Amino acid sequence: MSIPFSEIRGVIFDMDGTLTKPVIDFAEMRRRLDLPEGDILATIRAWPPERQRRAFAIIEALEADARERMALQPGARELLETLERLGLERGLLTRNTLETVRRLQELIPVRFSAVVTRDFPTFKPDPAPALHIASLWRLPPAAILLVGDYRDDLICGRQAGMFTVLLLEARNRQWASLADWTVASLDELRRAFEGSETGLNGSKNGPPRSPRS
């Protein structure tokens, strides 16, 4: 493990597949958009306005259905409660809408101190939204951990100069080398923070070390 957990002051989470179980059918979304490959948001933003409007109507209908079936990943609530108790900032960086984030907040009593949705001008893997959160928190990137389940999460975090954690599952193990650490569950990540509690609550550890390059 190469993450100095006692020096982390904020944690940014991806949403789908990380804090919530993956329920959006992206294959069906691509079929309805007639978009077999390429980044969905980047491609749509390059389309003419009327075509964009129709595309986002399709996406939002699928997302509305997914909101009805939203469920937390095991350990998500306990992890966020631990971070709150330790006084760490908690952020959300997602391609979802603010409406979907509000649905998530109905399931988790812990509030996020920063939320970036797809309304932000750029999106993962661009590091700008992660750096925006760091600026809101007034924290150096090296004091922040970004947690996700997809390649773009890890690239975003690494390019921003943050530590990264990959929540492993069968479909994403090929991206493990991009992460500073991998976990099989959010409970494993919670235990890492609990193990560093002494340092977080009082010991002088000096400035945060930089993530691996």
Side-chain angles (χ1 to χ4, degrees):
M1 180 172 59
S2 57
I3 298 176
F5 282 94
S6 64
E7 299 171 11
I8 297 297
R9 296 295 177 265
V11 183
I12 300 173
F13 292 94
D14 168 57
M15 186 172 168
D16 290 322
T18 302
L19 289 180
T20 63
K21 295 180 179 179
V23 293
I24 296 177
D25 188 342
F26 286 103
E28 175 63 11
M29 182 181 294
R30 287 184 177 278
R31 187 191 69 79
R32 294 192 190 184
L33 294 170
D34 192 21
L35 186 60
E37 60 184 19
D39 185 284
I40 293 175
L41 282 183
T43 301
I44 291 176
R45 285 186 176 182
W47 288 349
E50 179 57 26
R51 190 179 180 189
Q52 284 190 40
R53 187 192 65 77
R54 293 195 302 268
F56 278 117
I58 291 170
I59 291 172
E60 288 164 9
L62 290 168
E63 289 175 338
D65 175 69
R67 280 195 295 273
E68 296 300 315
R69 297 179 288 118
M70 183 184 290
L72 296 178
Q73 288 277 27
R77 178 190 298 267
E78 293 81 1
L79 171 57
L80 288 165
E81 288 174 345
T82 294
L83 298 180
E84 181 180 47
R85 177 173 58 79
L86 293 174
L88 303 186
E89 300 282 6
R90 301 160 307 280
L92 193 65
L93 176 50
T94 176
R95 290 185 171 207
N96 278 286
T97 63
L98 190 57
E99 185 176 0
T100 300
V101 172
R102 291 192 183 105
R103 171 58 181 151
L104 172 64
Q105 287 282 208
E106 292 174 1
L107 302 179
I108 297 179
V110 176
R111 302 297 96 180
F112 295 98
S113 52
V115 174
V116 172
T117 67
R118 66 164 172 256
D119 291 332
F120 195 79
T122 60
F123 43 84
K124 299 175 289 188
D126 191 299
L131 290 170
H132 175 68
I133 292 176
S135 70
L136 292 176
W137 289 343
R138 298 183 180 180
L139 288 175
I144 297 173
L145 181 66
L146 195 152
V147 185
D149 71 314
Y150 187 57
R151 173 194 62 212
D152 288 358
D153 302 314
L154 305 175
I155 294 174
C156 173
R158 287 173 68 90
Q159 290 184 344
M162 300 174 181
F163 289 97
T164 58
V165 169
L166 176 66
L167 179 60
L168 284 172
E169 59 175 49
R171 67 172 177 85
N172 68 5
R173 294 180 180 275
Q174 69 268 34
W175 302 316
S177 63
L178 297 174
D180 291 296
W181 197 38
T182 62
V183 294
S185 69
L186 294 179
D187 283 331
E188 186 176 348
L189 183 57
R190 173 182 54 79
R191 288 192 294 269
F193 276 105
E194 289 176 339
S196 69
E197 189 167 351
T198 300
L200 283 164
N201 285 331
S203 69
K204 299 295 184 180
N205 295 293
R209 296 190 291 273
S210 297
R212 70 179 189 186
S213 58

